[in-house]
Amino acid sequence: HQDTCVGKTTPSLLHWHDNPEIICFTQGVGITVCDTQHIQASAGEVVFIPSNTLHAFYGVTDKTHYRCLIVNKAYHQRLGLNFEGLRGRLSNPALYECFERLNEEMEHRRPHYRLAALSLINTLLVELARQPSDNIAMQSQETGRATIELTKSVISYMHEHLREPFSLTDMCGHLGYSPYYVGHVFKEVTGQSPVDYLNRLRCSHAFALLSNGSCVSEAAEASGFQNQSYFSRQYKRYRGRTPSSDAVIYAKQHQDS
């Protein structure tokens, strides 16, 4: 997918997945958060995010445009390509050119574009696997691994208990750590308190429901908000609009379609 950030934006929610991700910057300057590291990249540069790495993104210039490719881990392993130790910013014109040509194929969809796109993806993966260690912007670091894993455990718990009333004490008891320690580690890694992160996560979930036609009360309840006025305040804080205004916009879009 691709996206454009206008102005300085707040970081997206930290998340992770089993597949490596490649971000190509085509305009402006952006920051990619990888675990606890903040990697700045400009137009023409690529950032490689290893599998299972906590990551997020935000723009720092008036307009930041980037393209993102998530590669199936089983696919690149089947090709015999290993990205062990690869992480961070890569200034390789060949990588950027592959992204540009891939985008062109997907936009114009000329005959046999799928085959052409797959060929370009394979070329891109080979270029990544050829990166010598002295050209890798950042080597994988095991320092702070325990804090990263604890942060992931907290985020997983929030996803699993999204609709339930939240208790920091109960969560920490489940994880086997003190609330003070969890709060300190989580803020150190994410820059947010557990409650702030949870509210953003719930608002993001509510937005997805509203955009699919749910009413405000349904979205609030399904996202774990017990109080609708509190939900409205938090939603406006994180999304910039009230949930009712988004509900009206997306209800109209569904009617028009």
Side-chain angles (χ1 to χ4, degrees), residues 101-102 105 111-122:
R101 292 176 60 196
L102 179 59
E105 288 291 346
H112 314 298
Y113 77 93
R114 290 182 183 276
L115 183 60
L118 182 59
S119 175
L120 287 166
I121 289 171
N122 287 342

Side-chain angles (χ1 to χ4, degrees), residues 125-136:
L125 296 179
V126 169
E127 283 293 335
L128 285 169
R130 284 176 171 172
Q131 292 293 304
S133 58
D134 60 348
N135 284 342
I136 294 172

Side-chain angles (χ1 to χ4, degrees), residues 87 153 204:
R87 171 192 294 253
S153 296
S204 179

Side-chain angles (χ1 to χ4, degrees), residues 169-181:
T169 302
D170 289 349
M171 181 186 72
C172 292
H174 173 79
L175 297 175
Y177 295 92
S178 73
Y180 173 80
Y181 180 72

Side-chain angles (χ1 to χ4, degrees), residues 75-125:
Y75 178 73
H76 76 72
Q77 288 178 336
R78 193 161 62 245
L79 294 176
L81 299 175
N82 179 21
F83 305 129
E84 189 68 34
L86 186 62
R87 171 192 294 253
R89 185 179 65 247
L90 302 167
S91 299
N92 182 337
L95 295 173
Y96 184 78
E97 182 184 352
C98 281
F99 261 100
E100 288 295 285
R101 292 176 60 196
L102 179 59
N103 181 68
E104 182 184 346
E105 288 291 346
M106 298 306 294
E107 273 193 352
H108 297 291
R109 303 198 171 199
R110 295 185 291 265
H112 314 298
Y113 77 93
R114 290 182 183 276
L115 183 60
L118 182 59
S119 175
L120 287 166
I121 289 171
N122 287 342
T123 301
L124 177 66
L125 296 179

Side-chain angles (χ1 to χ4, degrees), residues 21-65:
E21 185 168 340
I22 312 157
I23 299 178
C24 175
F25 291 86
T26 60
Q27 184 177 357
V29 178
I31 302 289
T32 305
V33 182
C34 286
D35 288 337
T36 58
Q37 297 157 330
H38 291 236
I39 304 162
Q40 180 171 302
S42 306
E45 294 183 314
V46 169
V47 173
F48 182 84
I49 304 168
S51 60
N52 293 309
T53 298
L54 268 176
H55 61 279
F57 171 83
Y58 59 97
V60 296
T61 49
D62 290 340
K63 194 173 184 181
T64 306
H65 185 267

